[in-house]
């Protein structure tokens, strides 16, 4: 696997990024600025107005944009980014993470609550004992995974509407990613360990650790499987973007940021990666698959 890089201009630190289904890149900065960029020209094509600082975002498959903010707001924007649909959680506690697909909306943050809208029906769950930092929806919509500062990953069955598995880490869980077939879940934590779980029996198949950490800050800030599931991409506060061979547990390619990496997104159809670092750099990387 190899990487070729270019950049998107930014004047502020990017806290979240996501690819639109049409390939454009959306970035959210620490000041609440939300912009949509053309991935080819690196030109800003539109922006999203918000009265609150947006902390995380995710795209619906049809291109609508889900945002959560520091005032507890959950909003779903159409392509015009005007007058969003608002989802009430009954709380103003800051939200940190969100996920969406054709059936589910998930939001969570600085409480132990996880908010779920399933076919429009709202429910609130006290899954964790501490802040929730990340969430993900399985490709078949059967499961929701949440990771929190209680060092736990919880797997929620959307059909049974109950917790069906609890997975443990050595420190708080910072990132999650399902494989494209839903059979595997990758989880990353604050101290830099990545674990790959078999969702058919909830066993840990592989524990991945960087061989020679380049700094004292190792927190995993983004994870994504490649389309065939054989490789896993991770970004970390140690400045690295690594491509792992999951079966062998080895790093096969590496990109180094100028500063700790703050967020990451992978457009698997276009084989484009985007990441950002803590000094305001935004990177566009082309992923080229290999047999390594």
């Amino acid at each position: 696997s190899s990487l070729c890089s270019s950049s998107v201009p930014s004047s502020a630190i990017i806290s979240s990024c996501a690819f639109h289904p049409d390939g454009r890149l959306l970035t959210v900065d620490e000041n609440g600025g939300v912009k949509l960029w053309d991935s080819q020209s690196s030109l800003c094509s539109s922006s999203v107005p918000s009265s609150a600082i947006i902390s995380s975002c995710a795209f619906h498959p049809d291109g609508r944009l889900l945002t959560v903010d520091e005032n507890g707001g959950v909003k779903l924007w159409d392509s015009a980014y005007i007058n969003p649909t608002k989802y009430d959680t009954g709380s103003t506690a800051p939200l940190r993470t969100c996920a969406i697909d054709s059936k589910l909306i998930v939001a969570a943050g600085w409480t132990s609550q996880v908010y779920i809208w399933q076919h429009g029906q709202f429910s609130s769950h006290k899954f964790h004992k501490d802040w929730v930092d990340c969430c993900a929806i399985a490709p078949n919509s059967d499961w929701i995974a949440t990771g929190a500062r209680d060092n736990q990953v919880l797997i929620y069955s959307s059909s049974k509407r109950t917790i069906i598995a609890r997975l443990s880490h050595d420190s708080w869980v910072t990132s999650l990613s399902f494989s494209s077939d839903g059979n595997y879940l990758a989880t990353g934590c604050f101290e830099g360990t990545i674990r790959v779980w078999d969702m058919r029996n909830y066993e840990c198949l592989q524990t991945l650790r960087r061989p020679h950490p380049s700094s004292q800050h190792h927190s995993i800030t983004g994870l994504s499987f490649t389309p065939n599931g054989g490789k896993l991409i991770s970004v970390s506060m140690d400045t690295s973007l690594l491509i792992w061979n999951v079966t062998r547990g080895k790093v096969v390619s590496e990109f180094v940021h100028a500063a700790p990496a703050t967020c990451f997104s992978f457009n698997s159809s276009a084989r484009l990666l985007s990441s950002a670092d803590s000094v305001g750099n935004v990177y566009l990387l082309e992923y080229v698959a290999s047999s390594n």
Side-chain angles (χ1 to χ4, degrees):
S1 306
S2 61
L3 298 167
C4 304
S5 67
S6 61
S7 63
V8 168
S10 176
S11 59
I13 297 172
I14 302 301
S15 57
S16 181
C17 60
F19 279 102
H20 188 283
D22 67 9
R24 288 179 294 168
L25 173 67
L26 184 130
T27 59
V28 179
D29 68 46
E30 62 180 354
N31 299 322
V34 182
K35 295 181 179 179
L36 204 55
W37 306 85
D38 185 291
S39 301
Q40 301 300 319
S41 66
S42 298
L43 296 176
C44 179
S45 59
S46 59
S47 60
V48 180
S50 178
S51 58
I53 295 178
I54 292 173
S55 51
S56 187
C57 61
F59 279 106
H60 187 281
D62 66 11
R64 286 179 293 168
L65 174 66
L66 177 69
T67 63
V68 295
D69 62 49
E70 294 190 358
N71 292 343
V74 181
K75 299 174 183 176
L76 188 61
W77 307 77
D78 63 17
S79 58
Y81 303 117
I82 301 173
N83 298 323
T85 301
K86 298 178 181 180
Y87 294 84
D88 183 22
T89 65
S91 171
T92 57
L95 295 171
R96 295 177 58 85
T97 183
C98 62
I100 188 171
D101 69 2
S102 59
K103 299 178 182 178
L104 297 165
I105 293 175
V106 185
W110 288 8
T111 69
S112 57
Q113 295 294 125
V114 177
Y115 307 108
I116 299 173
W117 290 264
Q118 184 171 356
H119 299 296
Q121 183 179 355
F122 173 71
S123 59
S124 177
H125 307 266
K126 192 176 178 63
F127 288 162
H128 293 275
K129 298 178 181 179
D130 208 336
W131 294 358
V132 181
D133 276 335
C134 51
C135 64
I137 302 172
N140 54 14
S141 302
D142 284 348
W143 304 307
I144 296 168
T146 58
R149 298 193 180 194
D150 59 6
N151 304 355
Q152 297 284 303
V153 177
L154 300 186
I155 309 300
Y156 175 84
S157 169
S158 60
S159 58
K160 297 178 181 178
R161 305 201 176 197
T162 188
I163 296 293
I164 56 173
R166 296 177 182 268
L167 315 176
S168 296
H169 261 279
D170 296 327
S171 65
W172 80 63
V173 183
T174 54
S175 189
L176 301 166
S177 177
F178 282 101
S179 61
S180 59
D181 59 9
N183 289 335
Y184 305 99
L185 174 69
T187 61
C189 70
F190 180 76
E191 54 85 25
T193 299
I194 300 167
R195 291 180 177 160
V196 179
W197 307 84
D198 189 329
M199 290 299 295
R200 292 162 290 193
N201 54 24
Y202 311 113
E203 292 183 359
C204 181
L205 298 177
Q206 189 68 268
T207 299
L208 308 175
R209 291 186 177 91
R210 183 175 169 83
H212 304 290
S214 60
S215 78
Q216 294 181 346
H217 305 287
H218 316 310
S219 179
I220 304 299
T221 51
L223 290 169
S224 181
F225 282 97
T226 57
N228 64 5
K231 304 285 197 315
L232 179 69
I233 304 167
S234 67
V235 295
S236 168
M237 291 294 284
D238 71 1
T239 75
S240 68
L241 184 153
L242 304 177
I243 300 179
W244 300 83
N245 180 305
V246 176
T247 302
R248 294 163 51 201
K250 302 293 184 182
V251 175
V252 296
S253 188
E254 178 175 1
F255 175 83
V256 179
H257 299 82
T262 56
C263 63
F264 165 76
S265 184
F266 183 35
N267 181 344
S268 59
S269 59
R271 297 189 178 275
L272 282 177
L273 295 78
S274 175
S275 60
D277 64 30
S278 61
V279 294
N281 297 310
V282 182
Y283 304 83
L284 283 173
L285 308 168
E286 181 182 4
Y287 171 75
V288 182
S290 73
S291 58
N292 291 342

